[in-house]
Structures are given as C-alpha cells and as structure tokens.
Amino acid sequence: IDRYVATLPGRFTIVEVPLSEPGDYGLQNTRNAQYMVHTSAHWQKTVNGYSGLLPEGHQELFLALWNFPNADALARLRAFGVTYVVDHNDWNDAATRAEVQKRYDAFTGELELVKEIGADRLYKIK
C-alpha cells in the first residue's frame, strides 16, 4: 500500500496505523520506526516516526490513534494536516480486525476508502 501511496499526486501528510495500546511504549516505538521506514516507498511527510524525542502534541496523538478511528484522533490528525491514513489491518488479530471495521463503518462520512491491497487500506480524511 505504501508503494501505491507513491503514485498519488502532490505533497501531503500521512499517518500509519495501528499503534499500540496506551502504555506499551516499546511496541509504539517499534511500529513508529517501521512506519518511518515505510515512507521510503513514497517520501511523503508522516506524523509517525521514532527518534527518542517526542514533539509537542505527538504523545496525545499516539494515545488517540491506538483505537483508530475515533473522533479525537481525526480531530488531532486534521490539526497536524494529515490527509491520508494507511491502515495495516493485517497486523491485528481477527477479533480486533472486526472491531476496527465497526469503527470505520461509524466514520464513513469522514473517511473515504481509496485503495485496498490485501488487508492494507488507504483512507482519505474528508
């Protein structure tokens, strides 16, 4: 899906999910580092990443993203200028995937499915 992102026109900012549950900073840092590497497929800006420093507002953003989508996370992503969400839903177990799908279904007015490749999905924030 990250290679598909490279085909989209213009410059924009993305976020990749899922992140970890609150308090699991090891998994959160691991996933953010992996997502940072993913950007080498498209070179778009991302709010994910790991450097040992946490810029202002990012911890609150990451806390809101662990159960994405939700209203708080969408508001924070808009404040950061994020246009697209890359969801690696195959990183979730089957029960979690079903729960996540219910949350996406509740936000169809705010998220547009752009592309689906396997379990990976690309959404545009409306």
Side-chain angles (χ1 to χ4, degrees):
I1 200 81
D2 290 290
R3 288 187 184 107
Y4 178 79
V5 170
T7 69
L8 299 174
R11 299 292 301 155
F12 47 85
T13 303
I14 68 162
V15 64
E16 297 196 42
V17 295
L19 289 182
S20 65
E21 293 185 30
D24 190 348
Y25 298 113
L27 181 57
Q28 177 178 301
N29 291 339
T30 298
R31 286 196 173 160
N32 276 318
Q34 290 171 315
Y35 294 152
M36 188 171 59
V37 172
H38 288 182
T39 64
S40 66
H42 52 69
W43 298 113
Q44 295 292 345
K45 294 186 292 182
T46 181
V47 295
N48 299 99
Y50 175 74
S51 69
L53 298 173
L54 204 54
E56 185 177 335
H58 273 72
Q59 187 59 41
E60 293 80 11
L61 173 63
F62 295 154
L63 287 172
L65 285 172
W66 87 268
N67 63 351
F68 187 82
N70 61 69
D72 183 34
L74 284 167
R76 290 178 186 279
L77 291 173
R78 287 183 179 110
F80 273 90
V82 174
T83 308
Y84 290 100
V85 177
V86 175
D87 187 333
H88 300 281
N89 204 15
D90 57 340
W91 291 15
N92 292 320
D93 59 39
T96 303
R97 281 194 296 271
E99 179 185 317
V100 168
Q101 186 57 54
K102 287 179 187 176
R103 289 197 305 264
Y104 274 105
D105 291 345
F107 285 92
T108 57
E110 297 185 60
L111 293 165
E112 174 188 348
L113 180 61
V114 174
K115 185 73 171 177
E116 188 170 5
I117 300 174
D120 291 341
R121 297 178 183 152
L122 177 66
Y123 291 91
K124 184 171 186 172
I125 297 175
K126 296 181 183 177

